[in-house]
Amino acid sequence: GAGVSQSPSNKVTEKGKDVELRCDPISGHTALYWYRQSLGQGLEFLIYFQGNSAPDKSGLPSDRFSAERTGGSVSTLTIQRTQQEDSAVYLCASSLQGTPNTGELFFGEGSRLTVL
Amino acid sequence: AQSVTQPDIHITVSEGASLELRCNYSYGATPYLFWYVQSPGQGLQLLLKYFSGDTLVQGIKGFEAEFKRSQSSFNLRKPSVHWSDAAEYFCAVFSGGYNKLIFGAGTRLAVHP
């Protein structure tokens, strides 16, 4: 596609429910990143994919968070047993390679998650 | 560990005034540095980047930034601000060993008419 696409754009859920957030990167981009942006906070790194592998998942805040990527393309971020502190905007970005030499990260518009 | 500090959380300027947003980084080697802008309800857009060479880099929308190694800074500037520049601005450093961008907390810019 023309840009990074994320869905849903908004998600309201009840505490304890599971949610899935989807990211469709720019075609041909091998690197994919998930970030979290909480109210008044900067961007917090969650996980990095190169192809289907995740060499860096150091930012996942707990074992309730997981992510996968299939076919070197679409990625899904899953949050199990959601808590109110999970409320945030989840941003996905992709780049042509996992280095900056080929350019910048291209970001989607994010999925806003609200946990009641 | 690599880190980015943006000392100003909020800045307000008058339309037509000059702007400087501060960014300091902590990184052991030559950094790769970026400025992104996030307009309300939109994703992040790259304004400019520094990899090497000329320490004054030009970006989109009339922005520029200067890399100063001695001060570990990469401040963003614009000579004349437009109302449409109201947004949140993020400075970031690429953590080469870990293949990810590390962002500052952001500076929210308000522009008065």
Side-chain angles (χ1 to χ4, degrees), chain A residues 11 13-19 21 36-39 44 46 61-62 64-65 77-90 111-116:
Chain A
K11 176 71 176 180
T13 190
E14 294 179 348
K15 178 181 174 181
K17 300 285 189 182
D18 297 352
V19 296
L21 307 176
R36 179 169 71 175
Q37 185 176 22
S38 302
L39 189 62
E44 175 189 8
L46 298 178
S62 75
R64 296 187 295 106
F65 287 72
L77 178 68
T78 301
I79 309 172
Q80 295 179 309
R81 306 181 301 282
T82 52
Q83 303 294 314
Q84 288 182 332
E85 61 264 29
D86 300 333
S87 296
V89 176
Y90 290 82
S111 292
R112 181 177 298 277
L113 174 66
T114 302
V115 182
L116 301 177

Side-chain angles (χ1 to χ4, degrees), chain A residues 28-69:
Chain A
H29 280 195
T30 58
L32 185 147
Y33 303 78
W34 284 99
Y35 284 83
R36 179 169 71 175
Q37 185 176 22
S38 302
L39 189 62
Q41 303 293 316
L43 278 76
E44 175 189 8
F45 168 80
L46 298 178
I47 189 168
Y48 155 63
F49 286 93
Q50 182 61 30
N52 292 335
S53 301
D56 186 354
K57 52 181 77 171
S58 62
L60 295 177
S62 75
D63 58 7
R64 296 187 295 106
F65 287 72
S66 63
E68 66 174 10
R69 188 179 185 194

Side-chain angles (χ1 to χ4, degrees), chain B residues 41-71:
Chain B
Q42 298 193 13
L44 276 78
Q45 181 183 22
L46 180 72
L47 285 175
L48 47 78
K49 59 191 176 188
Y50 171 79
F51 289 167
S52 64
D54 193 346
T55 56
L56 183 64
V57 293
Q58 303 296 321
I60 63 171
K61 305 185 179 185
F63 286 91
E64 66 178 27
E66 186 170 13
F67 169 60
K68 293 186 177 180
R69 183 187 300 276
S70 62
Q71 298 178 18

